[in-house]
Amino acid sequence: MDTSHPVHLGMVEMKERLEDLSGGKMTIDIYPSGVLGSEVQCIEQLQGGVLAMTKTSTAAMESFLPELGVFGVPYLFNNHDVYWDVLDGDIGRELLAVGERIGLRGLCYYDSGSRNFYSTKKPIRSPDDLKGMKIRVQNSRMAIAMIEAMGGSPTPIAWGELYSALSQGVVDGAENNPPSFDSSRHYEVSKYFTPDAHTRVPDLLMISAKVWQSLSKQEQEWLQEAADESSLFQRKLWEEKTKESLAKVVEHGVEIVECDPSEFQAACAGIADTLKGTPVEAWLERIKAAQSQ
């Protein structure tokens, strides 16, 4: 992300807190704006211990850890507060640990809000409008299945290539959160934004297991505390940035399209059935049960 993004600012907070907690014995060097490679490349560097930490979307982690595909199930969480209750509870902590078998350790979650549709040629008011449309998605099995269920044509494209793909008509739309829609300047070529909130896919801050194990117990405690505090800090920034971004894109001529999210939810109802027998199923059931208590 660029240096104005809440994720980057959350990492700056973590760096400062780590220096304070350790009395200057530990620090973090931050490399923004994708200079160390794509999400997948950074994850691979983490496994080798070449890179110490990275922030990635849980969607990009699906090919490494299928369990994390649970976050891509459309309309899984009832609301924002329930979402964070789950992530801050036992389920969220256990999901942070699933990567240890492949050399990755989750430190904390960062808020990436809800994902929503935006389009270039026509507004998306219902799933029917998606028919025949090419929609950019992350390289995620769940994201692809969601667009197919709604009748659209899912098209995985790297984030850095999406602006030109939208402007040149390679795709007709995409889906993401308001701050990313704003910071990417996609509002310049996509004038319709549909707040259907189909998924809440968190960002994940991870550390190489090799690097983690090289730290003393005290250093691990300092780093974990700094990460946890940065997560709470980043969430507040995210809420503020979301409001600012929506106001900004409207000023630049974007139409906020009214929709009934239940129509999109109904179109995706069959996705859960396709997950039976997969690593996602048990986590899906646990998250549903946690919300029904």
Side-chain angles (χ1 to χ4, degrees):
M1 300 299 182
D2 66 71
T3 54
S4 68
H5 197 282
V7 162
H8 178 81
L9 296 175
M11 289 183 171
V12 172
E13 174 73 6
M14 176 173 60
K15 170 188 173 75
E16 293 174 352
R17 289 298 298 133
L18 181 61
E19 291 172 350
D20 289 343
L21 290 165
S22 68
K25 294 177 181 177
M26 295 180 74
T27 189
I28 298 169
D29 296 324
I30 305 170
Y31 297 85
S33 304
V35 297
L36 296 182
S38 67
E39 283 184 311
V40 171
Q41 289 170 333
C42 287
I43 293 165
E44 291 171 343
Q45 290 180 64
L46 230 62
Q47 289 180 296
V50 177
L51 186 62
M53 290 189 286
T54 193
K55 189 286 301 179
T56 183
S57 170
T58 49
M61 286 298 300
E62 285 181 39
S63 58
F64 295 86
L65 297 166
E67 298 95 324
L68 295 180
V70 70
F71 290 114
V73 177
Y75 303 100
L76 172 60
F77 297 97
N78 294 336
N79 55 55
H80 174 270
D81 291 339
V82 167
Y83 169 71
W84 280 109
D85 284 345
V86 170
L87 292 191
D88 289 336
D90 291 341
I91 295 172
R93 284 191 290 271
E94 288 175 39
L95 282 168
L96 284 175
V98 297
E100 292 188 4
R101 67 174 188 265
I102 60 168
L104 305 171
R105 179 186 177 88
L107 288 173
C108 68
Y109 298 99
Y110 283 152
D111 200 350
S112 63
S114 62
R115 297 182 74 89
N116 312 271
F117 289 114
Y118 51 92
S119 48
T120 58
K121 298 174 184 175
K122 67 175 185 178
I124 298 170
R125 302 185 190 280
S126 73
D128 287 341
D129 294 319
L130 284 164
K131 292 176 180 175
M133 293 182 69
K134 290 183 179 179
I135 303 295
R136 180 268 177 181
V137 293
Q138 293 171 289
N139 192 14
S140 152
R141 174 176 171 264
M142 290 305 305
I144 291 169
M146 178 186 70
I147 299 300
E148 288 176 341
M150 293 184 187
S153 177
T155 308
I157 292 177
W159 178 246
E161 300 169 8
L162 181 52
Y163 185 101
S164 60
L166 287 164
S167 62
Q168 295 169 13
V170 175
V171 291
D172 304 306
E175 48 90 47
N176 216 315
N177 52 62
S180 294
F181 180 54
D182 167 16
S183 64
S184 63
R185 304 183 73 88
H186 290 171
Y187 62 82
E188 294 177 346
V189 289
S190 301
K191 293 301 183 181
Y192 304 100
F193 187 91
T194 305
D196 65 301
H198 45 260
T199 52
R200 296 180 184 274
V201 180
D203 280 339
L204 185 60
L205 181 66
M206 292 186 300
I207 185 169
S208 164
K210 290 182 180 179
V211 173
W212 177 261
Q213 290 159 10
S214 73
L215 302 177
S216 69
K217 189 173 186 299
Q218 178 63 78
E219 289 169 336
Q220 290 175 350
E221 290 175 358
W222 284 333
L223 180 56
Q224 186 63 63
E225 184 175 347
D228 290 340
E229 291 185 20
S230 78
S231 175
L232 296 174
F233 177 81
Q234 188 267 348
R235 293 181 212 178
K236 293 178 182 177
L237 288 183
W238 185 268
E239 185 176 359
E240 296 167 3
K241 181 66 174 176
T242 296
K243 293 175 182 176
E244 292 174 8
S245 293
L246 284 172
K248 176 181 174 180
V249 299
V250 168
E251 288 178 5
H252 283 79
V254 171
E255 176 187 343
I256 305 299
V257 180
E258 291 187 12
C259 69
D260 181 357
S262 67
E263 293 183 12
F264 295 90
Q265 186 173 2
C268 298
I271 288 180
D273 292 335
T274 69
L275 298 173
K276 290 179 179 177
T278 72
V280 172
E281 182 183 18
W283 294 101
L284 177 61
E285 295 306 317
R286 286 185 64 186
I287 291 173
K288 285 181 177 179
Q291 296 181 84
S292 62
Q293 293 174 356

